[in-house]
Structure formats: structure tokens, C-alpha cells
């Protein structure tokens, strides 16, 4: 290993982080700093662009254990197999509604606007949001099944929020308007 030396000034937050990592990992401070620099260099674009906020949100979702990464094709497969004669089985609808109602309680103190909620849901990858006016959004879905699934979820999960939502369904999209 090279013996290049570098003197670095640390603020309190950085010092605390370095000390905590050294205790948790049982690694030397020098090794941790080298690894951190290498990691930062390898992930520079993600760490220094607006996408870093998205990565932070993904981390929060996944770290909580409530969410998982799901290939969209698996979701299509899943939604296709919970149907009977082209309609979702009632047991699936009931279970979906139960989860939606749980999220309605969770969202009660979390979101103040439809925009905040839609940004959060867009992170899941089930929909794409396009704002058209101050309170109106076009929501595009990858399939009719996902449109049904997410539209039902949105309708039920916003019931306790400080706004009403009006929906107009199209072929592959939904027009959502926030009503105060």
C-alpha cells in the first residue's frame, strides 16, 4: 500500500460518523476513509445529482422492511393470476382494500397535498406522474391491470387527507384533480 498521507479537518458530525463506523466495523480510521473515498468516487454521479434524493427515498422505503423491489413483470403476472373470468377475485379485492385502508391511516399525518402523495407513489414504479395544471395531474400506468390496482389504492388511501381527489379514467391514464 502506498504511504501517501493526507491531513483532513473534520467537523463534529464527520468526526462522530467516523468514530461510530470505527466502533461498528472494527476497522481503522484510515481504512474507513480510504473505503469512503473509493465508494464516493464509484458513486459520484448518484451522490452529486438530484437522483441522490431519489436514492435516499428508496433507501428509506427499503430499510423500513415494508417495501421491496419488485420487477414490474412479476406484478403483471401477479395481477393476472388473481383474476377470475377477467375480473379480480373478491378475496383479492378485499385484501387490497384492507391494505389501502391501513395506508389511509398511515398517510393521514404524512401528506398535505396530492403532489406529495403522487411523488411518493411514483417512487414505487407503478405509475408516472405528469403535472398539467396547479392541481391536476395525468397519471400514466404501464397496463390496465396496474391502472385498476393503483386507482383503487389511491381512492381508498386519500380518505383522511386534507384534500379530495377527482378521477377521470382514460385508456392507460387517470386524470387526478386535487380539490381543497
Amino acid at each position: 500500500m502506498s504511504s501517501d498521507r493526507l491531513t483532513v479537518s473534520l467537523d463534529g458530525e464527520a468526526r462522530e460518523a467516523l468514530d461510530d463506523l470505527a466502533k461498528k466495523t472494527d476497522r481503522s480510521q484510515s481504512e474507513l476513509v480510504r473505503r469512503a473515498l473509493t465508494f464516493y468516487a464509484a458513486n459520484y454521479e448518484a451522490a452529486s445529482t438530484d437522483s441522490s434524493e431519489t436514492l435516499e427515498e428508496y433507501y428509506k422505503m427499503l430499510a423500513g422492511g415494508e417495501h421491496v423491489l419488485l420487477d414490474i413483470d412479476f406484478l403483471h403476472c401477479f395481477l393476472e393470476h388473481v383474476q377470475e373470468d377477467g375480473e379480480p377475485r373478491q378475496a383479492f379485492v378485499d385484501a387490497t382494500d384492507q391494505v389501502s385502508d391501513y395506508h389511509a391511516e398511515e398517510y393521514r399525518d404524512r401528506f398535505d397535498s396530492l403532489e406529495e402523495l403522487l411523488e411518493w407513489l411514483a417512487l414505487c414504479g407503478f405509475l408516472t406522474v405528469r403535472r398539467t395544471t396547479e392541481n391536476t395531474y395525468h397519471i400514466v400506468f404501464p397496463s390496465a391491470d396496474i391502472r385498476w390496482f393503483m386507482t383503487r389504492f389511491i381512492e381508498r388511501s386519500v380518505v383522511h387527507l386534507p384534500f379530495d381527489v377527482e378521477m377521470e379514467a382514460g385508456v392507460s391514464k387517470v386524470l387526478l384533480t386535487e380539490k381543497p
Side-chain angles (χ1 to χ4, degrees):
M1 172 168 299
S2 173
S3 61
D4 289 345
R5 296 209 178 265
L6 173 68
T7 302
V8 178
S9 298
L10 301 176
D11 61 17
E13 184 180 356
R15 166 50 66 195
E16 187 176 322
L18 184 58
D19 290 344
D20 286 347
L21 281 171
K23 287 177 189 170
K24 287 179 185 177
T25 63
D26 200 29
R27 296 177 191 257
S28 72
Q29 292 179 350
S30 293
E31 182 179 355
L32 290 171
V33 170
R34 284 191 297 271
R35 290 178 66 129
L37 284 171
T38 303
F39 179 82
Y40 184 72
N43 296 285
Y44 177 75
E45 280 190 40
S48 61
T49 64
D50 289 342
S51 66
S52 63
E53 291 178 18
T54 302
L55 291 172
E56 183 177 344
E57 289 299 321
Y58 283 144
Y59 173 77
K60 288 178 188 174
M61 291 174 79
L62 295 172
E66 182 180 345
H67 297 89
V68 297
L69 293 177
L70 177 67
D71 185 292
I72 199 72
D73 291 328
F74 280 124
L75 179 61
H76 284 286
C77 180
F78 173 73
L79 290 173
E80 182 180 314
H81 284 86
V82 296
Q83 294 183 31
E84 211 169 78
D85 299 323
E87 294 294 320
R89 292 186 186 129
Q90 190 58 47
F92 175 73
V93 173
D94 293 343
T96 299
D97 289 350
Q98 185 177 9
V99 171
S100 300
D101 294 347
Y102 169 80
H103 279 75
E105 289 299 324
E106 179 186 12
Y107 293 169
R108 180 189 302 259
D109 298 319
R110 183 171 192 173
F111 300 110
D112 293 321
S113 71
L114 179 58
E115 182 175 25
E116 289 176 351
L117 173 66
L118 292 175
E119 284 176 6
W120 176 252
L121 294 176
L123 284 172
C124 297
F126 300 152
L127 52 90
T128 302
V129 179
R130 295 189 181 106
R131 185 181 196 151
T132 56
T133 65
E134 183 179 341
N135 294 322
T136 304
Y137 305 85
H138 280 108
I139 313 302
V140 180
F141 304 94
S143 72
D145 288 336
I146 293 176
R147 184 187 70 228
W148 170 85
F149 178 70
M150 289 305 299
T151 302
R152 187 171 186 96
F153 175 80
I154 292 169
E155 286 176 327
R156 295 186 69 96
S157 66
V158 300
V159 296
H160 300 303
L161 296 179
F163 55 85
D164 294 321
V165 174
E166 183 179 303
M167 292 194 191
E168 294 177 34
V171 175
S172 65
K173 65 184 177 189
V174 170
L175 180 67
L176 293 179
T177 303
E178 181 177 346
K179 302 286 185 185

